[in-house]
Amino acid sequence: MHDRIEWARQAPEAYKAMVGLEQALINSGLEHSLLELVRLRASQINGCAYCVNLHANDARKAGESEARLQTLSVWRETRYFTPRERAALAWVDSLTRLPERGAPQSEYEALLEHFSAQEVANLTLAIATINAWNRFGVGFAMVPA
């Protein structure tokens, strides 16, 4: 790994803003376990080693099973995830791969079957936020301790 800047030290206001987004998510009403699955799935797609490690551990602490964590990267191929989680994970995959997939209407409509409009907005915030964290993690070559 390369030595790169400690971005939070160099841009403390940006870091503070990111932490503020996390606080909004804590207060959003979305289940902690769902937020951790969202964070972990986006981090897997983005190849952020630091965030994959962090969110896998946080998900375990939140009570997530090893079977679900081990198969999250292939969630479409398992029966471990609820319809609500599957709708959220499809949204994560699409928004994280936005240039490739866009945001398909069918996936948006599936969200509305399981989430209120406010929850959809907060879920989208969660996806946008973890994607931003991943760009800091990958961009500055952060690795687990």
Side-chain angles (χ1 to χ4, degrees):
M1 283 285 127
H2 304 281
D3 289 330
R4 297 188 182 177
I5 65 170
E6 293 182 41
W7 77 270
R9 185 177 298 172
Q10 299 302 317
E13 290 301 314
Y15 180 77
K16 183 178 175 182
M18 291 296 295
V19 171
L21 291 173
E22 290 298 334
Q23 189 60 48
L25 291 170
I26 289 168
N27 297 324
S28 72
L30 290 173
E31 312 92 279
H32 181 68
S33 59
L34 179 65
L35 288 171
E36 290 305 332
L37 290 175
V38 164
R39 292 170 177 137
L40 180 54
R41 180 63 186 134
S43 298
Q44 289 172 337
I45 294 167
N46 288 321
C48 184
Y50 182 87
C51 293
V52 165
N53 180 264
L54 174 71
H55 295 296
N57 287 331
D58 286 351
R60 279 185 195 91
K61 290 175 191 169
E64 217 29 89
S65 74
E66 284 301 315
R68 284 166 46 98
L69 291 175
Q70 292 168 7
T71 59
L72 183 60
S73 64
V74 290
W75 65 269
R76 292 179 194 270
E77 309 304 321
T78 73
R79 295 184 182 168
Y80 292 131
F81 302 96
T82 68
R84 178 178 165 91
E85 291 167 337
R86 294 174 77 74
L89 292 170
W91 198 236
V92 171
D93 284 12
S94 288
L95 295 186
T96 301
R97 293 183 168 122
L98 195 56
E100 300 162 31
R101 300 193 54 199
Q105 184 66 24
S106 61
E107 290 180 4
Y108 176 76
E109 290 170 2
L111 282 175
L112 296 178
E113 293 177 24
H114 303 283
F115 294 90
S116 69
Q118 181 180 14
E119 288 174 322
V120 171
N122 284 319
L123 177 63
T124 303
L125 174 64
I127 296 164
T129 302
I130 189 57
N131 273 283
W133 283 117
N134 290 163
R135 270 111 186 113
F136 287 112
V138 173
F140 297 116
M142 295 172 63
V143 294

